[in-house]
Amino acid sequence: MGVVYTAASMSLDGYIAGPDEQGFAHLFSWYANGPQQLPTANPEVSFHMSEASAAHFRELADRTGALVVGRRQFDLTGGWGGQHPLGVPVVVLTHRLPDEWPRAEAPFVFRSGHIESALAQAKALAGRRAVGVSAGSVARQVLNARLLDEVWIELVPVLLGGGTPYLSELSRPPVLLEGPIAIAAGHGVTHLRYRVRRA
Amino acid sequence: MGVVYTAASMSLDGYIAGPDEQGFAHLFSWYANGPQQLPTANPEVSFHMSEASAAHFRELADRTGALVVGRRQFDLTGGWGGQHPLGVPVVVLTHRLPDEWPRAEAPFVFRSGHIESALAQAKALAGRRAVGVSAGSVARQVLNARLLDEVWIELVPVLLGGGTPYLSELSRPPVLLEGPIAIAAGHGVTHLRYRVRRA
């Protein structure tokens, strides 16, 4: 069975979004600050990264078979225009269906209910590949349910001063991790990968 | 003139102390989890680190000529028994003199007043070497006064879930940094060094 990971660009002070949903230009600058062009599954999205970041991103993409995201991220990105850049099915946790969704051509599934059942559906969709869960409230639920295997941090050299923490409201702190089991130095980002230690 | 830096062991969720002043056993485990014995200026304190951490620590020690710390850190450590492990003079920011201090044999100076004057005194004591300022409120004051040159983060793979943030209450967020200008992988810690970008 594939691992369950969460991955996000995070500021040095631990935020994945700044105050009032600002700060993304800083957090995501590494997607567009290098020479390596990286097409994605979404024809309207391509990246230009440093070589180290491109290699890291390709590895993440190769490993991933499905995603679980929250409604907030789905709305912030406009549902990625119907195709997530990783080109995999997406399970969206939400209590109300968004307008004009689902779409026949877009591999998005909408679920209310427990994180466990959403994750089980994503695992079935992913087969032997990994399931990525979005940072913030979804990752927190998965971590608190002891179902998170890995934490990937794209550490960005900015202090945002507030906003949305990456992993907060832990039900059983402290949570110990192992690693980093991988480090890569991109341009304007350090890619770090940790394994959640099972007690 | 030497640089002004702050350095601290920080959890992955951005805390330099956990809730209720807990978590130090995790944050400081890298000082004692390796084969390299490292004597310090304080005969009662010696460290046992990984080789990478020892090299990192020696570099930090070699660079540093004086420290500025807050009263909270001074109290938490019991004034380091009168001798900071780095063996340099320490300027303590406080509004009231601690009992039984100052001591003739201990290179500690107690100051109330503005961070600027405390920092100027520390710079005079440090000569051409760097001044280290303690993380938390002192580092925040120095950063907000635009007097901080570098941020050193000893990133520890634990989520504490709350506590004291490393750098918070910024007067002018976002604060951009450059780097990491150095990365070293210790055991149970990743040493990262950033330069504060001047606007």
mmCIF file of all heavy atoms in Angstrom, chain A residues 10 12-13 26 143 153 155 157-161 167 170 173-180 183 185 190 192 194, chain B residues 10 12-13 26 143 153 155 157-161 167 170 173-180 183 185 190 192 194:
data_model
loop_
_atom_site.group_PDB
_atom_site.id
_atom_site.type_symbol
_atom_site.label_atom_id
_atom_site.label_comp_id
_atom_site.label_asym_id
_atom_site.label_seq_id
_atom_site.Cartn_x
_atom_site.Cartn_y
_atom_site.Cartn_z
ATOM 1 N N MET A 10 6.144 26.228 2.927
ATOM 2 C CA MET A 10 5.957 26.790 4.273
ATOM 3 C C MET A 10 6.977 27.892 4.515
ATOM 4 O O MET A 10 8.144 27.765 4.152
ATOM 5 C CB MET A 10 6.122 25.668 5.305
ATOM 6 C CG MET A 10 5.877 26.080 6.737
ATOM 7 S SD MET A 10 6.134 24.685 7.914
ATOM 8 C CE MET A 10 7.866 24.933 8.350
ATOM 9 N N LEU A 12 9.415 30.301 6.955
ATOM 10 C CA LEU A 12 10.293 29.944 8.074
ATOM 11 C C LEU A 12 9.567 30.030 9.408
ATOM 12 O O LEU A 12 9.982 29.396 10.372
ATOM 13 C CB LEU A 12 11.521 30.861 8.112
ATOM 14 C CG LEU A 12 12.558 30.668 7.015
ATOM 15 C CD1 LEU A 12 13.730 31.603 7.244
ATOM 16 C CD2 LEU A 12 13.037 29.227 6.972
ATOM 17 N N ASP A 13 8.510 30.830 9.476
ATOM 18 C CA ASP A 13 7.748 30.891 10.727
ATOM 19 C C ASP A 13 6.541 29.948 10.717
ATOM 20 O O ASP A 13 5.656 30.059 11.560
ATOM 21 C CB ASP A 13 7.365 32.326 11.127
ATOM 22 C CG ASP A 13 6.777 33.162 9.999
ATOM 23 O OD1 ASP A 13 6.710 32.658 8.851
ATOM 24 O OD2 ASP A 13 6.373 34.309 10.268
ATOM 25 N N HIS A 26 5.329 34.853 -2.425
ATOM 26 C CA HIS A 26 6.601 34.447 -1.825
ATOM 27 C C HIS A 26 6.683 32.925 -1.708
ATOM 28 O O HIS A 26 7.678 32.315 -2.080
ATOM 29 C CB HIS A 26 6.766 35.089 -0.450
ATOM 30 C CG HIS A 26 6.774 36.581 -0.482
ATOM 31 N ND1 HIS A 26 7.731 37.292 -1.161
ATOM 32 C CD2 HIS A 26 5.936 37.491 0.055
ATOM 33 C CE1 HIS A 26 7.484 38.580 -1.025
ATOM 34 N NE2 HIS A 26 6.400 38.732 -0.296
ATOM 35 N N LEU A 143 -3.192 13.418 10.407
ATOM 36 C CA LEU A 143 -2.153 13.227 11.423
ATOM 37 C C LEU A 143 -2.767 12.801 12.745
ATOM 38 O O LEU A 143 -2.301 11.844 13.388
ATOM 39 C CB LEU A 143 -1.361 14.524 11.595
ATOM 40 C CG LEU A 143 -0.261 14.521 12.658
ATOM 41 C CD1 LEU A 143 0.829 13.520 12.307
ATOM 42 C CD2 LEU A 143 0.336 15.923 12.830
ATOM 43 N N ILE A 153 8.194 19.278 3.410
ATOM 44 C CA ILE A 153 8.187 20.721 3.637
ATOM 45 C C ILE A 153 9.048 21.389 2.582
ATOM 46 O O ILE A 153 10.227 21.060 2.430
ATOM 47 C CB ILE A 153 8.732 21.060 5.037
ATOM 48 C CG1 ILE A 153 7.841 20.427 6.117
ATOM 49 C CG2 ILE A 153 8.825 22.571 5.230
ATOM 50 C CD1 ILE A 153 8.348 20.638 7.526
ATOM 51 N N LEU A 155 10.598 24.555 2.318
ATOM 52 C CA LEU A 155 10.853 25.636 3.281
ATOM 53 C C LEU A 155 11.340 26.894 2.557
ATOM 54 O O LEU A 155 12.396 26.895 1.921
ATOM 55 C CB LEU A 155 11.882 25.167 4.306
ATOM 56 C CG LEU A 155 12.059 26.033 5.543
ATOM 57 C CD1 LEU A 155 10.787 26.064 6.393
ATOM 58 C CD2 LEU A 155 13.227 25.531 6.385
ATOM 59 N N PRO A 157 12.389 30.963 2.397
ATOM 60 C CA PRO A 157 13.032 31.947 3.271
ATOM 61 C C PRO A 157 12.265 33.265 3.371
ATOM 62 O O PRO A 157 12.710 34.303 2.879
ATOM 63 C CB PRO A 157 14.418 32.135 2.639
ATOM 64 C CG PRO A 157 14.234 31.797 1.201
ATOM 65 C CD PRO A 157 13.167 30.739 1.157
ATOM 66 N N VAL A 158 11.137 33.212 4.018
ATOM 67 C CA VAL A 158 10.345 34.413 4.269
ATOM 68 C C VAL A 158 9.669 34.238 5.630
ATOM 69 O O VAL A 158 9.347 33.106 6.035
ATOM 70 C CB VAL A 158 9.286 34.632 3.149
ATOM 71 C CG1 VAL A 158 8.269 33.492 3.110
ATOM 72 C CG2 VAL A 158 8.580 35.972 3.296
ATOM 73 N N LEU A 159 9.512 35.341 6.334
ATOM 74 C CA LEU A 159 8.708 35.354 7.561
ATOM 75 C C LEU A 159 7.405 36.066 7.238
ATOM 76 O O LEU A 159 7.420 37.243 6.863
ATOM 77 C CB LEU A 159 9.448 36.108 8.679
ATOM 78 C CG LEU A 159 10.784 35.508 9.114
ATOM 79 C CD1 LEU A 159 11.556 36.503 9.994
ATOM 80 C CD2 LEU A 159 10.570 34.207 9.871
ATOM 81 N N LEU A 160 6.293 35.363 7.361
ATOM 82 C CA LEU A 160 4.994 35.972 7.003
ATOM 83 C C LEU A 160 4.336 36.647 8.203
ATOM 84 O O LEU A 160 3.461 37.496 8.022
ATOM 85 C CB LEU A 160 4.064 34.908 6.412
ATOM 86 C CG LEU A 160 4.501 34.354 5.049
ATOM 87 C CD1 LEU A 160 3.564 33.240 4.593
ATOM 88 C CD2 LEU A 160 4.558 35.464 3.991
ATOM 89 N N GLY A 161 4.721 36.278 9.399
ATOM 90 C CA GLY A 161 4.224 36.983 10.587
ATOM 91 C C GLY A 161 2.849 36.553 11.063
ATOM 92 O O GLY A 161 2.349 37.076 12.059
ATOM 93 N N LEU A 167 0.788 22.556 10.246
ATOM 94 C CA LEU A 167 0.215 21.468 11.050
ATOM 95 C C LEU A 167 0.012 22.002 12.461
ATOM 96 O O LEU A 167 0.986 22.275 13.161
ATOM 97 C CB LEU A 167 1.165 20.268 11.076
ATOM 98 C CG LEU A 167 1.210 19.437 9.796
ATOM 99 C CD1 LEU A 167 2.433 18.545 9.772
ATOM 100 C CD2 LEU A 167 -0.054 18.577 9.667
ATOM 101 N N LEU A 170 -2.797 19.819 17.214
ATOM 102 C CA LEU A 170 -2.482 18.393 17.323
ATOM 103 C C LEU A 170 -3.221 17.798 18.505
ATOM 104 O O LEU A 170 -3.293 18.400 19.568
ATOM 105 C CB LEU A 170 -0.971 18.216 17.527
ATOM 106 C CG LEU A 170 -0.062 19.032 16.602
ATOM 107 C CD1 LEU A 170 1.389 18.858 17.011
ATOM 108 C CD2 LEU A 170 -0.277 18.624 15.162
ATOM 109 N N PRO A 173 0.244 16.134 21.089
ATOM 110 C CA PRO A 173 1.618 16.640 20.969
ATOM 111 C C PRO A 173 2.478 16.113 22.114
ATOM 112 O O PRO A 173 1.933 15.788 23.167
ATOM 113 C CB PRO A 173 1.432 18.154 21.080
ATOM 114 C CG PRO A 173 0.196 18.333 21.901
ATOM 115 C CD PRO A 173 -0.695 17.146 21.591
ATOM 116 N N PRO A 174 3.804 16.065 21.981
ATOM 117 C CA PRO A 174 4.524 16.354 20.739
ATOM 118 C C PRO A 174 4.454 15.178 19.768
ATOM 119 O O PRO A 174 4.301 14.036 20.185
ATOM 120 C CB PRO A 174 5.961 16.570 21.233
ATOM 121 C CG PRO A 174 6.072 15.714 22.451
ATOM 122 C CD PRO A 174 4.716 15.761 23.100
ATOM 123 N N VAL A 175 4.572 15.489 18.476
ATOM 124 C CA VAL A 175 4.641 14.471 17.430
ATOM 125 C C VAL A 175 6.088 14.398 16.948
ATOM 126 O O VAL A 175 6.647 15.403 16.484
ATOM 127 C CB VAL A 175 3.712 14.826 16.256
ATOM 128 C CG1 VAL A 175 3.901 13.840 15.106
ATOM 129 C CG2 VAL A 175 2.259 14.846 16.711
ATOM 130 N N LEU A 176 6.689 13.223 17.073
ATOM 131 C CA LEU A 176 8.086 13.058 16.668
ATOM 132 C C LEU A 176 8.163 12.605 15.224
ATOM 133 O O LEU A 176 7.367 11.780 14.773
ATOM 134 C CB LEU A 176 8.777 12.020 17.555
ATOM 135 C CG LEU A 176 8.693 12.283 19.065
ATOM 136 C CD1 LEU A 176 9.465 11.209 19.830
ATOM 137 C CD2 LEU A 176 9.222 13.661 19.392
ATOM 138 N N LEU A 177 9.144 13.150 14.497
ATOM 139 C CA LEU A 177 9.379 12.739 13.117
ATOM 140 C C LEU A 177 10.810 12.254 12.977
ATOM 141 O O LEU A 177 11.650 12.512 13.847
ATOM 142 C CB LEU A 177 9.097 13.900 12.163
ATOM 143 C CG LEU A 177 7.637 14.392 12.175
ATOM 144 C CD1 LEU A 177 7.499 15.600 13.072
ATOM 145 C CD2 LEU A 177 7.173 14.727 10.770
ATOM 146 N N GLU A 178 11.078 11.562 11.879
ATOM 147 C CA GLU A 178 12.431 11.094 11.586
ATOM 148 C C GLU A 178 12.920 11.786 10.337
ATOM 149 O O GLU A 178 12.177 11.939 9.372
ATOM 150 C CB GLU A 178 12.433 9.586 11.324
ATOM 151 C CG GLU A 178 12.253 8.763 12.558
ATOM 152 C CD GLU A 178 11.903 7.323 12.223
ATOM 153 O OE1 GLU A 178 12.012 6.928 11.046
ATOM 154 O OE2 GLU A 178 11.486 6.613 13.148
ATOM 155 N N GLY A 179 14.200 12.151 10.359
ATOM 156 C CA GLY A 179 14.773 12.724 9.159
ATOM 157 C C GLY A 179 15.330 14.105 9.424
ATOM 158 O O GLY A 179 15.636 14.442 10.552
ATOM 159 N N PRO A 180 15.477 14.903 8.381
ATOM 160 C CA PRO A 180 14.946 14.656 7.046
ATOM 161 C C PRO A 180 15.546 13.417 6.380
ATOM 162 O O PRO A 180 16.753 13.209 6.439
ATOM 163 C CB PRO A 180 15.322 15.926 6.272
ATOM 164 C CG PRO A 180 16.430 16.558 7.057
ATOM 165 C CD PRO A 180 16.216 16.176 8.474
ATOM 166 N N ILE A 183 16.961 15.817 1.592
ATOM 167 C CA ILE A 183 17.139 17.273 1.567
ATOM 168 C C ILE A 183 17.556 17.646 0.154
ATOM 169 O O ILE A 183 18.421 16.994 -0.423
ATOM 170 C CB ILE A 183 18.271 17.746 2.507
ATOM 171 C CG1 ILE A 183 18.042 17.310 3.951
ATOM 172 C CG2 ILE A 183 18.427 19.253 2.453
ATOM 173 C CD1 ILE A 183 19.146 17.797 4.911
ATOM 174 N N ALA A 185 18.417 21.354 -2.091
ATOM 175 C CA ALA A 185 18.491 22.819 -2.047
ATOM 176 C C ALA A 185 18.086 23.379 -3.395
ATOM 177 O O ALA A 185 18.843 23.298 -4.370
ATOM 178 C CB ALA A 185 19.901 23.255 -1.678
ATOM 179 N N THR A 190 14.081 25.159 0.268
ATOM 180 C CA THR A 190 14.784 23.948 0.676
ATOM 181 C C THR A 190 13.742 22.844 0.822
ATOM 182 O O THR A 190 12.769 22.999 1.548
ATOM 183 C CB THR A 190 15.509 24.157 2.020
ATOM 184 O OG1 THR A 190 16.343 25.308 1.924
ATOM 185 C CG2 THR A 190 16.358 22.947 2.367
ATOM 186 N N LEU A 192 12.507 19.433 2.108
ATOM 187 C CA LEU A 192 12.781 18.566 3.250
ATOM 188 C C LEU A 192 11.679 17.523 3.356
ATOM 189 O O LEU A 192 10.501 17.849 3.203
ATOM 190 C CB LEU A 192 12.800 19.385 4.552
ATOM 191 C CG LEU A 192 13.843 20.500 4.634
ATOM 192 C CD1 LEU A 192 13.498 21.471 5.740
ATOM 193 C CD2 LEU A 192 15.232 19.906 4.868
ATOM 194 N N TYR A 194 10.236 14.306 5.762
ATOM 195 C CA TYR A 194 10.303 13.647 7.068
ATOM 196 C C TYR A 194 9.332 12.479 7.131
ATOM 197 O O TYR A 194 8.308 12.470 6.456
ATOM 198 C CB TYR A 194 9.930 14.633 8.187
ATOM 199 C CG TYR A 194 10.887 15.781 8.347
ATOM 200 C CD1 TYR A 194 10.690 16.974 7.653
ATOM 201 C CD2 TYR A 194 11.988 15.678 9.178
ATOM 202 C CE1 TYR A 194 11.571 18.030 7.792
ATOM 203 C CE2 TYR A 194 12.879 16.737 9.329
ATOM 204 C CZ TYR A 194 12.668 17.915 8.635
ATOM 205 O OH TYR A 194 13.538 18.952 8.779
ATOM 206 N N MET B 10 14.601 25.038 16.694
ATOM 207 C CA MET B 10 13.190 25.315 16.405
ATOM 208 C C MET B 10 12.501 24.029 15.955
ATOM 209 O O MET B 10 13.062 23.248 15.182
ATOM 210 C CB MET B 10 13.111 26.374 15.316
ATOM 211 C CG MET B 10 11.699 26.824 14.969
ATOM 212 S SD MET B 10 11.682 28.106 13.658
ATOM 213 C CE MET B 10 11.505 27.069 12.189
ATOM 214 N N LEU B 12 9.549 21.891 13.853
ATOM 215 C CA LEU B 12 9.048 22.052 12.483
ATOM 216 C C LEU B 12 7.845 22.973 12.422
ATOM 217 O O LEU B 12 7.555 23.547 11.377
ATOM 218 C CB LEU B 12 8.659 20.692 11.888
ATOM 219 C CG LEU B 12 9.803 19.740 11.547
ATOM 220 C CD1 LEU B 12 9.241 18.474 10.923
ATOM 221 C CD2 LEU B 12 10.779 20.404 10.591
ATOM 222 N N ASP B 13 7.131 23.112 13.531
ATOM 223 C CA ASP B 13 6.005 24.047 13.528
ATOM 224 C C ASP B 13 6.381 25.414 14.090
ATOM 225 O O ASP B 13 5.512 26.233 14.381
ATOM 226 C CB ASP B 13 4.751 23.464 14.210
ATOM 227 C CG ASP B 13 5.006 22.822 15.574
ATOM 228 O OD1 ASP B 13 6.182 22.726 15.989
ATOM 229 O OD2 ASP B 13 4.023 22.417 16.215
ATOM 230 N N HIS B 26 13.311 17.493 23.455
ATOM 231 C CA HIS B 26 13.313 17.246 22.007
ATOM 232 C C HIS B 26 14.170 18.276 21.274
ATOM 233 O O HIS B 26 14.997 17.932 20.431
ATOM 234 C CB HIS B 26 11.882 17.280 21.470
ATOM 235 C CG HIS B 26 10.988 16.255 22.088
ATOM 236 N ND1 HIS B 26 11.225 14.902 21.958
ATOM 237 C CD2 HIS B 26 9.876 16.369 22.845
ATOM 238 C CE1 HIS B 26 10.299 14.244 22.620
ATOM 239 N NE2 HIS B 26 9.460 15.108 23.169
ATOM 240 N N LEU B 143 15.176 42.460 15.015
ATOM 241 C CA LEU B 143 14.681 42.363 13.637
ATOM 242 C C LEU B 143 13.818 43.577 13.295
ATOM 243 O O LEU B 143 13.984 44.192 12.230
ATOM 244 C CB LEU B 143 13.875 41.068 13.471
ATOM 245 C CG LEU B 143 13.241 40.836 12.101
ATOM 246 C CD1 LEU B 143 14.311 40.685 11.019
ATOM 247 C CD2 LEU B 143 12.349 39.591 12.123
ATOM 248 N N ILE B 153 18.855 28.670 12.044
ATOM 249 C CA ILE B 153 17.791 27.786 12.526
ATOM 250 C C ILE B 153 18.331 26.372 12.657
ATOM 251 O O ILE B 153 18.841 25.812 11.688
ATOM 252 C CB ILE B 153 16.591 27.792 11.555
ATOM 253 C CG1 ILE B 153 15.985 29.199 11.456
ATOM 254 C CG2 ILE B 153 15.523 26.781 12.007
ATOM 255 C CD1 ILE B 153 14.848 29.313 10.450
ATOM 256 N N LEU B 155 16.842 23.168 12.875
ATOM 257 C CA LEU B 155 15.478 22.677 12.649
ATOM 258 C C LEU B 155 15.345 21.236 13.138
ATOM 259 O O LEU B 155 16.027 20.332 12.629
ATOM 260 C CB LEU B 155 15.151 22.779 11.161
ATOM 261 C CG LEU B 155 13.692 22.585 10.779
ATOM 262 C CD1 LEU B 155 12.814 23.693 11.371
ATOM 263 C CD2 LEU B 155 13.548 22.582 9.254
ATOM 264 N N PRO B 157 13.149 17.771 14.049
ATOM 265 C CA PRO B 157 11.980 17.069 13.526
ATOM 266 C C PRO B 157 10.963 16.686 14.599
ATOM 267 O O PRO B 157 10.776 15.517 14.904
ATOM 268 C CB PRO B 157 12.575 15.836 12.845
ATOM 269 C CG PRO B 157 13.854 15.591 13.555
ATOM 270 C CD PRO B 157 14.374 16.947 13.964
ATOM 271 N N VAL B 158 10.324 17.690 15.153
ATOM 272 C CA VAL B 158 9.247 17.453 16.126
ATOM 273 C C VAL B 158 8.190 18.537 15.905
ATOM 274 O O VAL B 158 8.512 19.658 15.491
ATOM 275 C CB VAL B 158 9.809 17.505 17.567
ATOM 276 C CG1 VAL B 158 10.358 18.868 17.924
ATOM 277 C CG2 VAL B 158 8.755 17.087 18.593
ATOM 278 N N LEU B 159 6.948 18.177 16.141
ATOM 279 C CA LEU B 159 5.853 19.152 16.158
ATOM 280 C C LEU B 159 5.447 19.333 17.618
ATOM 281 O O LEU B 159 5.014 18.381 18.261
ATOM 282 C CB LEU B 159 4.659 18.650 15.343
ATOM 283 C CG LEU B 159 4.913 18.399 13.857
ATOM 284 C CD1 LEU B 159 3.762 17.608 13.240
ATOM 285 C CD2 LEU B 159 5.103 19.722 13.113
ATOM 286 N N LEU B 160 5.618 20.546 18.130
ATOM 287 C CA LEU B 160 5.302 20.789 19.541
ATOM 288 C C LEU B 160 3.851 21.205 19.740
ATOM 289 O O LEU B 160 3.316 21.103 20.847
ATOM 290 C CB LEU B 160 6.253 21.839 20.122
ATOM 291 C CG LEU B 160 7.716 21.388 20.233
ATOM 292 C CD1 LEU B 160 8.591 22.537 20.730
ATOM 293 C CD2 LEU B 160 7.843 20.174 21.154
ATOM 294 N N GLY B 161 3.221 21.725 18.696
ATOM 295 C CA GLY B 161 1.790 22.028 18.780
ATOM 296 C C GLY B 161 1.451 23.353 19.432
ATOM 297 O O GLY B 161 0.280 23.707 19.541
ATOM 298 N N LEU B 167 10.339 33.774 15.744
ATOM 299 C CA LEU B 167 10.297 35.190 15.357
ATOM 300 C C LEU B 167 8.847 35.530 15.035
ATOM 301 O O LEU B 167 8.288 35.025 14.062
ATOM 302 C CB LEU B 167 11.176 35.426 14.122
ATOM 303 C CG LEU B 167 12.684 35.437 14.375
ATOM 304 C CD1 LEU B 167 13.460 35.265 13.084
ATOM 305 C CD2 LEU B 167 13.118 36.724 15.076
ATOM 306 N N LEU B 170 6.055 40.650 13.983
ATOM 307 C CA LEU B 170 6.900 41.459 13.111
ATOM 308 C C LEU B 170 6.227 42.800 12.859
ATOM 309 O O LEU B 170 5.018 42.866 12.634
ATOM 310 C CB LEU B 170 7.097 40.739 11.775
ATOM 311 C CG LEU B 170 7.469 39.253 11.850
ATOM 312 C CD1 LEU B 170 7.485 38.647 10.453
ATOM 313 C CD2 LEU B 170 8.805 39.078 12.529
ATOM 314 N N PRO B 173 5.809 42.844 8.232
ATOM 315 C CA PRO B 173 5.826 41.615 7.430
ATOM 316 C C PRO B 173 5.414 41.893 5.996
ATOM 317 O O PRO B 173 4.719 42.892 5.766
ATOM 318 C CB PRO B 173 4.781 40.744 8.131
ATOM 319 C CG PRO B 173 3.832 41.708 8.760
ATOM 320 C CD PRO B 173 4.650 42.917 9.123
ATOM 321 N N PRO B 174 5.766 41.055 5.026
ATOM 322 C CA PRO B 174 6.667 39.923 5.189
ATOM 323 C C PRO B 174 8.129 40.367 5.250
ATOM 324 O O PRO B 174 8.493 41.403 4.705
ATOM 325 C CB PRO B 174 6.407 39.103 3.922
ATOM 326 C CG PRO B 174 6.014 40.113 2.892
ATOM 327 C CD PRO B 174 5.259 41.172 3.640
ATOM 328 N N VAL B 175 8.952 39.567 5.919
ATOM 329 C CA VAL B 175 10.394 39.784 5.969
ATOM 330 C C VAL B 175 11.053 38.749 5.064
ATOM 331 O O VAL B 175 10.887 37.544 5.276
ATOM 332 C CB VAL B 175 10.927 39.651 7.408
ATOM 333 C CG1 VAL B 175 12.442 39.732 7.425
ATOM 334 C CG2 VAL B 175 10.312 40.707 8.319
ATOM 335 N N LEU B 176 11.784 39.228 4.064
ATOM 336 C CA LEU B 176 12.433 38.314 3.122
ATOM 337 C C LEU B 176 13.842 37.981 3.589
ATOM 338 O O LEU B 176 14.557 38.841 4.090
ATOM 339 C CB LEU B 176 12.486 38.946 1.734
ATOM 340 C CG LEU B 176 11.150 39.434 1.168
ATOM 341 C CD1 LEU B 176 11.335 39.987 -0.245
ATOM 342 C CD2 LEU B 176 10.146 38.296 1.157
ATOM 343 N N LEU B 177 14.217 36.730 3.381
ATOM 344 C CA LEU B 177 15.577 36.300 3.719
ATOM 345 C C LEU B 177 16.217 35.688 2.492
ATOM 346 O O LEU B 177 15.531 35.359 1.515
ATOM 347 C CB LEU B 177 15.549 35.297 4.875
ATOM 348 C CG LEU B 177 14.996 35.857 6.190
ATOM 349 C CD1 LEU B 177 13.534 35.485 6.354
ATOM 350 C CD2 LEU B 177 15.785 35.372 7.379
ATOM 351 N N GLU B 178 17.541 35.557 2.537
ATOM 352 C CA GLU B 178 18.281 34.914 1.451
ATOM 353 C C GLU B 178 18.903 33.633 1.964
ATOM 354 O O GLU B 178 19.431 33.592 3.066
ATOM 355 C CB GLU B 178 19.407 35.829 0.956
ATOM 356 C CG GLU B 178 18.918 37.001 0.154
ATOM 357 C CD GLU B 178 20.010 38.054 0.000
ATOM 358 O OE1 GLU B 178 21.175 37.782 0.348
ATOM 359 O OE2 GLU B 178 19.656 39.158 -0.448
ATOM 360 N N GLY B 179 18.860 32.618 1.091
ATOM 361 C CA GLY B 179 19.535 31.385 1.460
ATOM 362 C C GLY B 179 18.581 30.219 1.493
ATOM 363 O O GLY B 179 17.544 30.260 0.850
ATOM 364 N N PRO B 180 18.925 29.163 2.198
ATOM 365 C CA PRO B 180 20.004 29.099 3.173
ATOM 366 C C PRO B 180 21.393 29.292 2.545
ATOM 367 O O PRO B 180 21.679 28.717 1.505
ATOM 368 C CB PRO B 180 19.868 27.704 3.783
ATOM 369 C CG PRO B 180 19.088 26.915 2.789
ATOM 370 C CD PRO B 180 18.202 27.886 2.098
ATOM 371 N N ILE B 183 23.837 24.878 4.781
ATOM 372 C CA ILE B 183 22.997 23.765 5.245
ATOM 373 C C ILE B 183 23.925 22.683 5.773
ATOM 374 O O ILE B 183 24.922 22.362 5.127
ATOM 375 C CB ILE B 183 22.171 23.135 4.098
ATOM 376 C CG1 ILE B 183 21.287 24.152 3.394
ATOM 377 C CG2 ILE B 183 21.301 21.992 4.629
ATOM 378 C CD1 ILE B 183 20.443 23.519 2.271
ATOM 379 N N ALA B 185 23.509 18.738 7.707
ATOM 380 C CA ALA B 185 22.598 17.720 8.226
ATOM 381 C C ALA B 185 23.224 17.048 9.423
ATOM 382 O O ALA B 185 24.137 16.234 9.279
ATOM 383 C CB ALA B 185 22.281 16.704 7.133
ATOM 384 N N THR B 190 18.632 19.785 11.441
ATOM 385 C CA THR B 190 19.183 20.337 10.208
ATOM 386 C C THR B 190 19.579 21.783 10.488
ATOM 387 O O THR B 190 18.761 22.576 10.939
ATOM 388 C CB THR B 190 18.134 20.301 9.075
ATOM 389 O OG1 THR B 190 17.632 18.976 8.947
ATOM 390 C CG2 THR B 190 18.754 20.742 7.753
ATOM 391 N N LEU B 192 20.471 25.371 9.417
ATOM 392 C CA LEU B 192 20.174 26.253 8.292
ATOM 393 C C LEU B 192 20.551 27.679 8.680
ATOM 394 O O LEU B 192 20.277 28.115 9.798
ATOM 395 C CB LEU B 192 18.669 26.208 7.973
ATOM 396 C CG LEU B 192 18.093 24.847 7.582
ATOM 397 C CD1 LEU B 192 16.572 24.860 7.702
ATOM 398 C CD2 LEU B 192 18.512 24.499 6.154
ATOM 399 N N TYR B 194 20.430 31.720 7.289
ATOM 400 C CA TYR B 194 19.835 32.656 6.333
ATOM 401 C C TYR B 194 20.348 34.077 6.578
ATOM 402 O O TYR B 194 20.687 34.436 7.700
ATOM 403 C CB TYR B 194 18.312 32.677 6.484
ATOM 404 C CG TYR B 194 17.644 31.380 6.131
ATOM 405 C CD1 TYR B 194 17.414 30.410 7.103
ATOM 406 C CD2 TYR B 194 17.253 31.116 4.827
ATOM 407 C CE1 TYR B 194 16.804 29.207 6.777
ATOM 408 C CE2 TYR B 194 16.640 29.915 4.499
ATOM 409 C CZ TYR B 194 16.420 28.969 5.474
ATOM 410 O OH TYR B 194 15.821 27.788 5.153
#
